[in-house]
Amino acid sequence: MVFCRNLSLFIVIICILISFKNQRARRLSTTDNSSISINISPFSIHPVSLSSKNFEMIDYGTISSPLEYDFYRDSCPKAQQIVRQVVENLHQLRPDMAPSLLRLIFHDCFIQGCDASVLLDSSDQIVSEKESPPNSSLRGFDFIELIKSKIEEVCPGVVSCADILVLAARESVAMAGGPYYPVYTGRRDSTTAFPEHATAELPSPHDHLSELLGAFGSRGFDEREAVSLLGAHSIGEIHCKFFENRLYNFAGTNEPDPSLDPGFLDLLRTRCKNTHSTFSSYGSGSLSSTLSPPPSNASSTEEPGMPMNYDGSAFGTQYYQSLLQGKGILYADQQLMASEETENWVRAYASDISLFRRDFALAMIKLSDLQVLTAPMGQIRRNCSKVA
């Protein structure tokens, strides 16, 4: 066990974490001998074979964790391969998967740690976090259940839902063109949910900078890490009702937010007509957290919105450049320009995509390790929405 832990740390120190060399997470053409093919019915898509990744080496220094690298190497050695393949297959059919899973991991880890509590349905003993207003528009639960079912077929009762969520989020970030980073595993699942904490503690898209940094700071994230994590806003779509007040009636003035670029204001108004809706922080279809916007279902036209990467830019690029130009869609995003320190990091990431990818990966590793449960605490659920 000591040897395995030392080996895990050694692997990380010598740069096992890495990112794809291009925005589309290109794979090498050589196929790994241990590749597997999974047919993820009921979805009508072709299975793909797993292969080695095209890596660029980045030095991430010493990363401490209560977990282990490749925790399931003996008990379920194909677990990560299964996660990767299902995510790859789903991404072909549902490109909104990445923002969905980014949102899920944030809403899980930010509330009492990465324990899959956000996945639990309500029961006689549990009030689900899904019923909390900030979580009302969460998506991606079906993705996690599908991955879990495939792993259960191979290794029943072994791999936790908390680990599946973290691994799936990592793979979806890579599929969206973001960095590929190492994930420690060995988490256990919670036996309860925390809806009151979710309602009170998840950041709002209308937060001032002090509130935003306070929420991240209480979880151990400094300004640099908070700014890098908000780069998740490079993908997804934000519904109009959660920034419409900036376009027509900012702070009750019946005028637009003066910090908005005038040309961008006109563009947003073409997407979001003035409905004179009452200001609200949460609600159906809302963006309840500033980490990742609610993805729009490709088949749904029930509510208009604005895509974060409206110019088709790469993961992380347009988000920071838009803030420098007064083109942040959410008020909380544009607030990153309200202090010298956060503005400096916005400028750094806008001009150095490699720095952003490195820092975003490190912040995601840290987020994924928040307050985890390890044996003998918690449990391994057989169904992610129900306590075992």
Side-chain angles (χ1 to χ4, degrees):
M1 181 64 70
V2 172
F3 171 76
C4 291
R5 289 182 179 275
N6 289 340
L7 178 59
S8 299
L9 181 59
F10 174 72
I11 293 172
V12 174
I13 293 175
I14 64 171
C15 312
I16 196 164
L17 172 78
I18 33 223
S19 75
F20 289 112
K21 285 188 176 179
N22 57 39
Q23 297 171 8
R24 294 185 177 277
R26 184 174 56 206
R27 297 314 196 251
L28 288 178
S29 59
T30 56
T31 303
D32 183 44
N33 291 333
S34 61
S35 65
I36 57 177
S37 181
I38 302 175
N39 191 351
I40 57 173
S41 176
F43 298 101
S44 300
I45 55 181
H46 299 292
V48 297
S49 294
L50 298 182
S51 62
S52 301
K53 290 186 169 61
N54 198 8
F55 292 142
E56 74 182 57
M57 306 305 288
I58 302 175
D59 182 5
Y60 284 83
T62 301
I63 304 171
S64 61
S65 173
L67 306 168
E68 291 183 35
Y69 186 78
D70 201 15
F71 178 81
Y72 301 107
R73 58 188 170 272
D74 297 322
S75 57
C76 191
K78 290 189 176 181
Q80 294 198 42
Q81 290 179 295
I82 294 171
V83 173
R84 183 178 304 127
Q85 182 167 12
V86 175
V87 170
E88 286 178 339
N89 284 336
L90 285 171
H91 184 76
Q92 299 175 39
L93 182 67
R94 294 282 301 276
D96 65 327
M97 177 183 60
S100 295
L101 293 182
L102 269 174
R103 240 184 131 219
L104 265 185
I105 189 176
F106 176 71
H107 282 232
D108 183 43
C109 295
F110 212 75
I111 301 302
Q112 301 297 302
C114 303
D115 58 5
S117 61
V118 75
L119 304 179
L120 287 170
D121 287 339
S122 291
S123 67
D124 292 341
Q125 293 78 33
I126 293 174
V127 177
S128 174
E129 291 175 31
K130 298 175 185 178
E131 299 184 16
S132 172
N135 290 337
S136 62
S137 62
L138 284 179
R139 304 288 185 268
F141 300 106
D142 53 338
F143 301 148
I144 300 302
E145 288 292 359
L146 177 59
I147 297 170
K148 176 65 170 176
S149 69
K150 295 301 177 183
I151 290 180
E152 286 294 304
E153 292 175 5
V154 179
C155 313
V158 173
V159 181
S160 70
C161 298
D163 277 341
I164 289 173
L165 177 54
V166 169
L167 289 166
R170 186 265 304 272
E171 298 297 335
S172 66
V173 166
M175 290 297 296
Y180 188 86
Y181 50 91
V183 169
Y184 292 94
T185 43
R187 295 167 191 78
R188 305 264 290 182
D189 300 324
S190 72
T191 57
T192 190
F194 310 95
E196 297 86 358
H197 290 272
T199 299
E201 298 174 21
L202 284 166
S204 162
H206 310 291
D207 276 349
H208 297 290
L209 182 62
S210 59
E211 297 170 310
L212 184 65
L213 295 180
F216 280 93
S218 66
R219 271 78 178 171
F221 294 96
D222 61 22
E223 288 88 348
R224 178 177 185 172
E225 292 165 328
V227 175
S228 66
L229 277 176
L230 286 167
H233 274 173
S234 303
I235 55 177
E237 182 169 328
I238 301 177
H239 292 153
C240 292
K241 65 193 296 183
F242 293 95
F243 59 89
E244 186 183 65
N245 67 306
R246 300 187 71 207
L247 312 183
Y248 300 101
N249 187 22
F250 180 68
T253 63
N254 288 319
E255 298 290 338
D257 184 345
S259 69
L260 270 173
D261 173 81
F264 191 58
L265 171 63
D266 291 340
L267 174 62
L268 292 176
R269 282 178 165 178
T270 65
R271 301 294 297 264
C272 305
K273 306 301 182 183
N274 187 6
T275 60
H276 305 287
S277 59
T278 303
F279 174 87
S280 111
S281 294
Y282 305 113
S284 178
S286 75
L287 168 67
S288 57
S289 156
T290 59
L291 179 67
S292 183
S296 292
N297 190 312
S299 64
S300 174
T301 58
E302 63 184 31
E303 190 169 354
M306 184 69 178
M308 293 303 295
N309 59 338
Y310 54 88
D311 69 342
S313 57
F315 190 97
T317 303
Q318 176 62 35
Y319 174 73
Y320 298 105
Q321 293 176 355
S322 68
L323 298 183
L324 295 176
Q325 299 164 3
K327 297 180 180 180
I329 298 177
L330 291 177
Y331 177 76
D333 288 334
Q334 195 61 50
Q335 279 285 288
L336 294 181
M337 297 295 291
S339 82
E340 182 178 358
E341 182 161 3
T342 54
E343 179 183 345
N344 286 341
W345 286 116
V346 170
R347 292 188 181 278
Y349 297 144
S351 62
D352 190 342
I353 188 64
S354 295
L355 176 66
F356 161 69
R357 291 168 69 85
R358 176 192 181 279
D359 283 4
F360 181 80
L362 283 172
M364 285 299 294
I365 295 171
K366 183 173 180 176
L367 175 69
S368 302
D369 284 359
L370 281 182
Q371 296 177 261
V372 296
L373 298 175
T374 56
M377 297 181 292
Q379 62 179 211
I380 304 296
R381 297 182 207 145
R382 301 295 291 269
N383 181 317
C384 290
S385 64
K386 297 178 174 61
V387 172

